[in-house]
Amino acid sequence: MSTSATPSVLFVCVHNAGRSQMAAAFLTHLGADRVQVRSAGSAPAATVNPAVVEAMQEAGIDISAETPKVLTTEAVQSSDVVITMGCGDACPYFPGKRYLDWQLEDPAGQGVAAVRPIRDEIERRVRGLLAELGIEPAA
């Protein structure tokens, strides 16, 4: 971890339109201001997947205003933890960073019923990450 009191986490998937958006939203929601959150994609889509937006709304988190962002070397350099979302992304490697790969089904092209279990698994993993970081989830 960095010497900063606030750890930083970057979630990466190819399109930054589904899994990484859900993970970032859960970590932002549950971590409140105690963790810095970023998400990005190597080939960002034009918009966030509408089924993902709907599934997150069901969980009480509005990501309708989010937009996919391009992965930059700077985003990786300024993050303590880099989590790829099972998409085989070529992520820049920097010594001293913690890299995790979360193998998750891709919600692209699927309806909200198929996205719900992916959303729930991401929430479970984000809660585990918070525990590893020593951060109590916000209510």
Side-chain angles (χ1 to χ4, degrees):
M1 289 295 125
S2 71
T3 56
S4 167
T6 305
S8 58
V9 177
L10 169 65
F11 294 101
V12 182
C13 69
V14 173
H15 301 298
N16 190 224
R19 295 166 290 191
S20 56
Q21 289 284 347
M22 288 189 281
F26 275 124
L27 189 56
T28 298
H29 179 74
L30 296 169
D33 60 350
R34 296 162 294 161
V35 62
Q36 185 178 31
V37 183
R38 297 177 184 88
S39 72
S42 56
T47 61
V48 174
N49 179 333
V52 166
V53 172
E54 184 178 343
M56 291 302 289
Q57 190 68 50
E58 291 174 358
I61 300 173
D62 182 5
I63 63 169
S64 62
E66 295 298 325
T67 57
K69 294 168 263 331
V70 69
L71 176 64
T72 64
T73 300
E74 293 76 26
V76 177
Q77 285 178 311
S78 58
S79 299
D80 297 308
V81 181
V82 179
I83 301 175
T84 57
M85 310 300 278
C87 52
D89 247 358
C91 190
Y93 178 82
F94 295 97
K97 305 287 175 204
R98 180 175 174 205
Y99 290 87
L100 301 171
D101 184 45
W102 289 357
Q103 295 289 327
L104 297 159
E105 187 176 348
D106 189 348
Q110 300 194 58
V112 71
V115 173
R116 286 182 190 118
I118 302 167
R119 173 202 65 200
D120 295 345
E121 176 61 15
I122 289 171
E123 180 181 10
R124 185 188 71 74
R125 292 183 189 205
V126 165
R127 287 180 179 277
L129 178 64
L130 282 168
E132 289 176 27
L133 294 173
I135 298 171
E136 187 70 29

